[in-house]
Amino acid sequence: MTYQELSEQIAQKQSYLCVGLDTDLKKLPHHLLTEPDPVFAFNRAIIDATADLAVAYKPNIAFYEAQGPRGWESLQKTLDYIPANCFTIADAKRGDIGNTSGLYARAFFDPAAAGLHFDSITVAPYMGHDSVTPFLDYEGKWVILLALTSNPGSADFQRQSLGEQELFEAVIETANSWAGPDRIMFVVGATQAAELGRIRQLAPKNFLLVPGVGAQGGSLEDVSRYGLTTDGGLLVNASRSILYASGGTDFARRARAEAVSLQQEMARHLQAIR
Amino acid sequence: MTYQELSEQIAQKQSYLCVGLDTDLKKLPHHLLTEPDPVFAFNRAIIDATADLAVAYKPNIAFYEAQGPRGWESLQKTLDYIPANCFTIADAKRGDIGNTSGLYARAFFDPAAAGLHFDSITVAPYMGHDSVTPFLDYEGKWVILLALTSNPGSADFQRQSLGEQELFEAVIETANSWAGPDRIMFVVGATQAAELGRIRQLAPKNFLLVPGVGAQGGSLEDVSRYGLTTDGGLLVNASRSILYASGGTDFARRARAEAVSLQQEMARHLQAIR
């Protein structure tokens, strides 16, 4: 999906909601456990309940990897089920030396390899340019680079001062020399809304993937005020608050209600910046 | 495997060789392609040919992930085949917020989850302490944290100055406050031998996992001079130079010859520091 197409989806759905498919077998409603593939059965119901409200889906790969080979089968079926008008994110936080990053790119981008065909992947920046650019060699695919994450440990290194700027700012500035905003997004935690103004100056056009609204305590209003652009410019992720809104047979209906509530607030913020 | 046991293996085998199982289906000898699982057939032959010379095996997970679910099956069989007296490293370079890193730890450490039971995993430090400590919650398992990698991109962020020290030095110093040298190792590229003296001051007891000897151009002599300790303190990885020493039916014999040559040089370096 191109920058323009993603922007149009946001305008059309009046939403910049990304649903995080962090599907934990231990948290599934009990009635699904008799399904042949409970994780996929759950994801399918969540996608059915939210596809008109979400512009993106983001499976966190750890949840699938922890199930072994059958987890990768569930991931494949889930990815294949996501409608074509939704942007797909492999939240994998990969990154290695050049030839090895090339293999991770093949794993997530090239359906002829492992079967997967994500639009984008999250990548850790620590190893620098040649750990990131192999992902950009896949035309039309996106890198979503960790910049300022939502967790407490973000203070350990990302907030360290390099003199004029902090490490996360150097990451954004440097990465923007590798490719344009049509190929690179940045991860900025919703708990870091105070820094979004500075980030927007360094990355005026880039989409920002913002986790941490909901369970992690970030504010959608703050994130939207500082992060929205006339192109949209935000993908705000919610996972647990939608997936586990109910642990009963009404889980999909309750998930939709949560998604509707987020989408309606997003529509207000989008109208405010027009 | 404990620090003491690893140290004893090094003394006994007179070797600190780690064989990197970066097994690429495209580079396998043709006669193996008719095997039911060519990747495992290749790895088994390499392990048989080197197990008395190597103290560790390090499958790079990207190579398996790029094969989809059958790649994970090959990885499982390979791990199960590695002799118990060899240290096992999942070279996965994972790292995410706390609860998600916990799932990656489960995937690679808890055989009841995905079936894998590695001794250790490589982890990227960018997200800080709560992205690393969930791996340390598994008693007896190790974190091998990226510090100063062998690739050109290591200059982009790892070598940035934080004033008194560079980022990779802050990573080592900070991580050593999370756990002792019996639980944390660091990745230091063999191409970075000039920095090994400084690293040894910050990490006098930690094992260093050193890739980049051979194909990437690092010198085993330099690495050994600055990196060896009386406990061993080094795991020097070779992948391509051993795996692909020959592309013919003699691949295992030629792989062994490469490993013997490295082990003999290591024995000399070990004797020199006694």
Side-chain angles (χ1 to χ4, degrees):
Chain A
M1 186 177 286
T2 66
Y3 188 100
Q4 183 64 29
E5 286 164 350
L6 181 55
S7 203
E8 282 165 11
Q9 283 297 319
I10 290 171
Q12 203 172 310
K13 290 180 169 171
Q14 287 289 292
S15 167
Y16 38 99
L17 176 63
C18 173
V19 174
L21 296 170
D22 300 1
T23 308
D24 187 341
L25 200 56
K26 294 181 179 173
K27 290 189 187 163
L28 295 192
H30 286 295
H31 72 283
L32 292 180
L33 298 178
T34 55
E35 294 277 340
D37 184 340
V39 167
F40 173 60
F42 179 81
N43 287 349
R44 185 177 52 196
I46 294 288
I47 293 165
D48 285 342
T50 57
D52 59 325
L53 304 165
V55 292
Y57 288 94
K58 178 177 77 62
N60 188 309
I61 305 305
F63 288 78
Y64 301 87
E65 201 161 292
Q67 304 288 322
R70 82 196 146 122
W72 291 90
E73 307 278 7
S74 305
L75 178 65
Q76 178 74 57
K77 284 185 267 182
T78 299
L79 180 62
D80 292 344
Y81 194 75
I82 296 171
N85 69 351
C86 295
F87 186 77
T88 55
I89 301 168
D91 192 2
K93 302 187 174 72
R94 299 297 194 258
D96 206 313
I97 63 168
N99 70 326
T100 309
S101 269
L103 283 161
Y104 280 126
R106 202 200 286 173
F108 288 99
F109 289 162
D110 177 1
L116 302 175
H117 48 84
F118 281 96
D119 290 318
S120 66
I121 184 171
T122 57
V123 176
Y126 189 73
M127 294 181 72
H129 65 90
D130 58 311
S131 70
V132 176
T133 50
F135 295 99
L136 296 168
D137 291 341
Y138 283 75
E139 209 176 330
K141 303 292 188 179
W142 296 71
V143 161
I144 308 183
L145 201 64
L146 301 183
L148 185 57
T149 56
S150 58
N151 61 317
S154 63
D156 289 334
F157 306 120
Q158 299 165 27
R159 302 301 307 264
Q160 289 293 312
S161 170
L162 305 179
E164 303 265 299
Q165 51 185 194
E166 296 181 13
L167 176 59
F168 76 91
E169 296 172 294
V171 165
I172 293 171
E173 201 166 71
T174 305
N176 272 339
S177 74
W178 301 334
D182 57 330
R183 302 296 306 283
I184 294 190
M185 305 186 184
F186 297 102
V187 174
V188 178
T191 52
Q192 312 278 6
E195 316 305 329
L196 269 171
R198 283 153 72 194
I199 290 170
R200 265 288 167 242
Q201 291 193 310
L202 290 167
K205 297 276 289 175
N206 299 82
F207 273 88
L208 306 177
L209 171 63
V210 183
V213 163
Q216 291 181 60
S219 149
L220 176 56
E221 185 171 352
D222 290 348
V223 166
S224 303
R225 182 184 310 133
Y226 297 110
L228 273 183
T229 70
T230 50
D231 295 324
L234 284 180
L235 294 174
V236 171
N237 185 76
S239 299
R240 285 170 271 179
S241 63
I242 291 179
L243 302 191
Y244 310 120
S246 157
T249 53
D250 63 345
F251 74 96
R253 190 171 57 75
R254 294 280 297 280
R256 180 172 176 82
E258 284 293 320
V260 164
S261 152
L262 287 166
Q263 182 272 322
Q264 286 177 346
E265 183 178 342
M266 289 175 178
R268 285 198 301 278
H269 295 311
L270 281 168
Q271 278 150 29
I273 65 134
R274 276 176 62 186
Chain B
M1 188 178 285
T2 66
Y3 187 99
Q4 182 66 27
E5 286 164 350
L6 181 54
S7 202
E8 283 165 9
Q9 283 297 318
I10 290 172
Q12 203 172 310
K13 290 180 169 170
Q14 286 291 291
S15 167
Y16 37 100
L17 176 62
C18 174
V19 175
L21 296 169
D22 300 2
T23 307
D24 187 342
L25 200 55
K26 295 183 179 173
K27 291 189 188 164
L28 294 192
H30 287 294
H31 71 284
L32 291 180
L33 298 178
T34 54
E35 294 277 339
D37 183 341
V39 168
F40 173 60
F42 179 81
N43 287 349
R44 185 178 51 195
I46 293 289
I47 293 165
D48 285 342
T50 58
D52 59 324
L53 305 165
V55 293
Y57 288 94
K58 178 177 78 63
N60 188 310
I61 305 305
F63 288 77
Y64 301 86
E65 201 162 291
Q67 303 289 323
R70 84 196 145 122
W72 291 90
E73 308 277 7
S74 304
L75 178 66
Q76 177 75 58
K77 283 185 270 182
T78 300
L79 180 62
D80 292 345
Y81 193 75
I82 296 172
N85 69 351
C86 295
F87 187 76
T88 56
I89 302 167
D91 193 2
K93 301 186 175 73
R94 300 297 194 256
D96 206 313
I97 63 169
N99 70 324
T100 309
S101 269
L103 283 160
Y104 281 126
R106 205 201 283 173
F108 289 98
F109 289 162
D110 178 1
L116 302 175
H117 48 84
F118 281 96
D119 290 317
S120 66
I121 184 170
T122 58
V123 177
Y126 190 73
M127 295 182 71
H129 65 90
D130 57 312
S131 70
V132 177
T133 50
F135 295 99
L136 296 168
D137 291 342
Y138 282 75
E139 208 177 330
K141 303 290 188 178
W142 297 70
V143 162
I144 308 182
L145 201 64
L146 301 183
L148 185 57
T149 56
S150 58
N151 62 318
S154 62
D156 289 334
F157 307 120
Q158 298 166 26
R159 301 301 307 262
Q160 289 293 312
S161 170
L162 306 179
E164 304 265 297
Q165 51 185 193
E166 296 181 16
L167 176 60
F168 76 91
E169 296 171 294
V171 165
I172 293 171
E173 199 166 72
T174 305
N176 272 338
S177 74
W178 301 334
D182 57 330
R183 303 297 306 283
I184 294 191
M185 303 185 185
F186 297 102
V187 174
V188 179
T191 53
Q192 312 278 5
E195 315 305 328
L196 269 171
R198 282 152 73 196
I199 290 171
R200 263 290 167 243
Q201 291 193 310
L202 289 167
K205 297 276 290 175
N206 298 84
F207 273 89
L208 306 178
L209 172 63
V210 182
V213 163
Q216 291 181 59
S219 148
L220 176 56
E221 185 171 351
D222 290 348
V223 166
S224 303
R225 183 184 310 132
Y226 298 110
L228 272 184
T229 69
T230 49
D231 295 324
L234 284 180
L235 294 174
V236 171
N237 184 75
S239 299
R240 285 170 271 179
S241 62
I242 291 178
L243 302 190
Y244 309 120
S246 157
T249 52
D250 63 344
F251 75 96
R253 191 173 55 78
R254 294 280 296 279
R256 179 171 177 82
E258 284 293 321
V260 164
S261 154
L262 287 166
Q263 182 272 323
Q264 286 177 347
E265 183 178 342
M266 289 175 177
R268 285 198 301 278
H269 296 311
L270 281 168
Q271 278 150 28
I273 65 134
R274 274 175 63 186

